[in-house]
Amino acid sequence: VAILEPVNFGKVTVDHATLSNLYRVNEMKLKYNDTVRIMYNIVPYFLDSKHDGDMLIPMMDKCPSCGTPFNMKMLRIVECTNPNCDARKNGNLIRYCNNMKMMGVGDSIIGDLWNAGLVREIPDLYKLTSESIQTMKGYREKSADNILRAIHKSSNGVPLERWLGSLPLTGISTRTWKTVIGCSYGTNAAVKFIERLKECDDPESIIVELRVPCGYGT
């Protein structure tokens, strides 16, 4: 995010604009105190810079939460590689809830559940009770029941590919899962895939059975 001197667009005052990812930050070679151009169309958009600033802005090369060095090979998608990083685990929970369309279980609620020590992994969401949620300040029976209802309602009748795409597996989207499972198991792919999981002692070995269609990396 670029922090800007406040500029007015009609009745809207803009003081920051997204830069999307580290690839763009690196590509633009931004400096502190650069004169920049921005556009406002519903949201502010960073256009370019005159590069007349004082000092080159250094690239962030490690996780601000746990200090683990980033893998900088793919600047468009940079994430912490430490599986035990609290920020990464929290992010996995938020991503899961968003992708599973848990309406009413947003970032702030996940943050409260995390800070209260009630959730650390995705399965913890399904262990929550009304009583445990009500131990958090500001949460009473109605709000607790709404959270539980949202979690369980969004988890019934979910397409297999959406559930798999919600799990913390880097670079594997819902669309990719749908294509790979369909290519591997054909008609009634979801049912066949689940049955194969049930009968297999080592579910991870199923990965070698999946056929990756032409145009997809291994």
Side-chain angles (χ1 to χ4, degrees), residues 63-66 80 84-94 114:
C63 175
S65 177
C66 70
C80 180
N84 296 314
C85 173
D86 283 348
R88 176 173 171 171
K89 288 183 177 181
N90 191 300
N92 288 340
L93 287 164
I94 291 172
W114 176 276

Side-chain angles (χ1 to χ4, degrees), residues 177 180 183-185 193 196-197 200 202-213 218:
W177 273 116
V180 170
C183 180
S184 301
Y185 294 95
F193 181 76
R196 184 72 186 92
L197 281 173
C200 185
D202 180 19
E204 292 186 6
S205 67
I206 293 179
I207 296 298
V208 301
E209 300 177 5
L210 297 177
R211 295 190 314 193
V212 181
T218 56

Side-chain angles (χ1 to χ4, degrees), residues 87-115:
R88 176 173 171 171
K89 288 183 177 181
N90 191 300
N92 288 340
L93 287 164
I94 291 172
R95 178 176 178 272
Y96 180 81
C97 292
N98 288 341
N99 288 0
M100 290 288 284
K101 301 181 180 179
M102 292 183 181
M103 305 301 293
V105 188
D107 298 9
S108 60
I109 289 178
I110 292 297
D112 290 342
L113 292 169
W114 176 276
N115 292 332

Side-chain angles (χ1 to χ4, degrees), residues 38-51:
I38 58 172
M39 176 178 70
Y40 183 81
N41 183 11
I42 302 178
V43 295
Y45 184 77
F46 193 100
L47 294 175
D48 54 36
S49 167
K50 289 187 177 181
H51 302 293

